[in-house]
Amino acid sequence: MATGTEVLTLLIPNGGWYISGDEFENIQFLECDPITKAEFEAGFAKADKSNADQAKAKETAKAALLTKLGITSEEAALLLS
Amino acid sequence: MPTSTDLVTDLPADFEVFGQAVDTDFVDLLGGANGYILSKASATDLDFAWIPNDQGDITAVNVTAPITGGGSAGAVTIGVSAASTAAAGVVQLSDSTSTTSSVLASTPTATKSAYDLAAAAVPKSTVTTNGDIIYATGSAAVTRLGIGSTGQVLKVSGGVPSWGSDNGKVLQVVFASTATQTSNTTTTYADTTLTATITPTSATSQILCLVSQNGVLGTSASNGVKLRLLRGATSIFDFAGSLGYSQASSTRNDTSGSCSYLDSPATTSATTYKTQFAQRTADATACQVQVVTESRSSITLIEIGA
């Protein structure tokens, strides 16, 4: 589950906001245009998908790199130890 | 009636006149009951009356408690019963001021002894209010000291007792913590959610604030997090200016900031202390406090008697 910070980072990437916890009522739009509560709450699904996409892309990139290097993940870990 | 020089001419008739006069003059001597005595009825000559023979003599002594005895014949003896709490009677006097007797009566000597003790005692009117205490102001002189406030102790000031704060002693401790992840993407100070409220027992007390702000996550290279301590809405102590600063790396550092600050709020009202944070320079990436649940921040407020 994404955090309120991750949702606002996704929806208002240029910053200017403050949030305490994950509740819309605890957001302060200090130096940015405010969003609605509905937009904020819908943002959790978007943030979850974004996090999942980033994790998946990271795993894909790792696998491609290992293939390119011709080593296994265990061998890569050994190199980094 | 004939006189001594008159010639007796009619003796029977004269005796009749004499007899009638005697009957008239001594009529009061007639009658009377057995044992009665003759008593003058007025200042007129030969004016008498028969009355009971109880004039001037005691014929009986009748008594009621506490007098005892009495009688109506022969030698009569009378007495007086001793007094008790149940009946009147004769009492014995006593000079004692310590007896617990219920039948003795105190003498003026005993009364004066008690009076002298009472006169030398502390007047009850010296105290007026619940909690008052009494202390001497000199030889045989006293005054009252009103009760102090909650938490105060008895001290000596200027040679006399007085109530005062327990100097230097910890009077109370308030602790609070938070694990709420809080983010700020501006250079404007905002609450970290770390807050605690204390109500000083004395306006002269000092409040020692101990703050441990954990899970402080910086933003990016050449930036950091500012932290400050506030009393109410007033900033009283900036204790971090660029926490988590990293000049070259873009790695974000999870760190912590702490401070201790001795405040003098000069109030006995509830007083709230809290921390705020902000980015040192504007950055779209959020700086955070309590970045994860385990990064719990805490604040401890210690009231120290002045």
Side-chain angles (χ1 to χ4, degrees), chain B residues 84-179:
Chain B
S84 70
T85 55
V90 64
V91 295
Q92 180 182 347
L93 299 179
S94 172
D95 285 339
S96 175
T97 56
S98 61
T99 181
T100 59
S101 170
S102 295
V103 297
L104 298 176
S106 63
T107 63
T109 300
T111 302
K112 184 177 186 308
S113 296
Y115 172 81
D116 291 344
L117 289 174
V122 174
K124 186 178 178 181
S125 59
T126 303
V127 292
T128 61
T129 309
N130 184 27
D132 283 353
I133 61 175
I134 297 173
Y135 67 88
T137 56
S139 176
V142 298
T143 190
R144 68 176 281 273
L145 174 63
I147 192 170
S149 303
T150 299
Q152 287 190 312
V153 296
L154 194 59
K155 307 168 78 173
V156 176
S157 178
V160 296
S162 65
W163 294 104
S165 298
D166 198 1
N167 292 5
K169 185 176 181 180
V170 172
L171 302 180
Q172 62 172 315
V173 178
V174 175
F175 174 83
S177 67
T178 180

Side-chain angles (χ1 to χ4, degrees), chain A residues 5 13 15-21 31, chain B residues 181-183 185 190-191 193 284 288:
Chain A
T5 298
W17 43 264
Y18 159 88
I19 185 172
S20 169
E31 298 167 6
Chain B
Q181 184 191 77
T182 307
S183 305
T185 59
D191 293 345
T193 71
Q288 295 178 300

Side-chain angles (χ1 to χ4, degrees), chain B:
Chain B
M1 281 292 292
T3 64
S4 60
T5 59
D6 290 340
L7 294 177
V8 175
T9 58
D10 190 355
L11 185 60
D14 290 341
F15 268 105
E16 183 178 4
V17 172
F18 173 73
Q20 290 174 347
V22 170
D23 286 345
T24 300
D25 291 341
F26 291 92
V27 68
D28 286 348
L29 298 182
L30 298 176
N34 186 27
Y36 273 40
I37 59 175
L38 203 57
S39 174
K40 282 286 287 181
S42 71
T44 304
D45 291 341
L46 300 178
D47 184 15
F48 299 99
W50 293 102
I51 62 173
N53 185 16
D54 59 357
Q55 304 300 305
D57 289 334
I58 296 174
T59 59
V61 176
N62 299 317
V63 300
T64 58
I67 306 300
T68 61
S72 59
V76 174
T77 301
I78 60 172
V80 183
S81 298
S84 70
T85 55
V90 64
V91 295
Q92 180 182 347
L93 299 179
S94 172
D95 285 339
S96 175
T97 56
S98 61
T99 181
T100 59
S101 170
S102 295
V103 297
L104 298 176
S106 63
T107 63
T109 300
T111 302
K112 184 177 186 308
S113 296
Y115 172 81
D116 291 344
L117 289 174
V122 174
K124 186 178 178 181
S125 59
T126 303
V127 292
T128 61
T129 309
N130 184 27
D132 283 353
I133 61 175
I134 297 173
Y135 67 88
T137 56
S139 176
V142 298
T143 190
R144 68 176 281 273
L145 174 63
I147 192 170
S149 303
T150 299
Q152 287 190 312
V153 296
L154 194 59
K155 307 168 78 173
V156 176
S157 178
V160 296
S162 65
W163 294 104
S165 298
D166 198 1
N167 292 5
K169 185 176 181 180
V170 172
L171 302 180
Q172 62 172 315
V173 178
V174 175
F175 174 83
S177 67
T178 180
T180 302
Q181 184 191 77
T182 307
S183 305
N184 191 354
T185 59
T186 75
T187 56
T188 301
Y189 276 106
D191 293 345
T192 66
T193 71
L194 180 59
T195 180
T197 299
I198 190 170
T199 303
T201 58
S202 171
T204 60
S205 292
Q206 292 185 301
I207 306 298
L208 178 60
C209 309
L210 304 177
V211 175
S212 180
Q213 191 75 61
N214 294 321
V216 181
L217 187 63
T219 56
S220 58
S222 301
N223 201 357
V225 180
K226 297 187 294 182
L227 292 167
R228 68 181 185 180
L229 176 67
L230 297 90
R231 180 200 329 113
T234 304
S235 175
I236 57 175
F237 195 56
D238 294 335
F239 63 96
S242 187
L243 207 59
Y245 179 86
S246 177
Q247 187 165 10
S249 171
S250 61
T251 301
R252 302 174 69 191
N253 298 310
D254 179 357
T255 183
S256 63
S258 63
C259 80
S260 59
Y261 180 76
L262 188 60
D263 189 34
S264 299
T267 182
T268 55
S269 299
T271 304
T272 298
Y273 291 87
K274 65 180 181 180
T275 57
Q276 289 186 326
F277 74 123
Q279 293 181 336
R280 180 167 183 80
T281 57
D283 193 325
T285 305
C287 66
Q288 295 178 300
V289 290
Q290 296 93 230
V291 65
V292 291
T293 303
E294 294 83 356
S295 299
R296 179 174 290 273
S297 296
S298 66
I299 182 170
T300 304
L301 305 177
I302 304 171
E303 182 184 1
I304 300 173

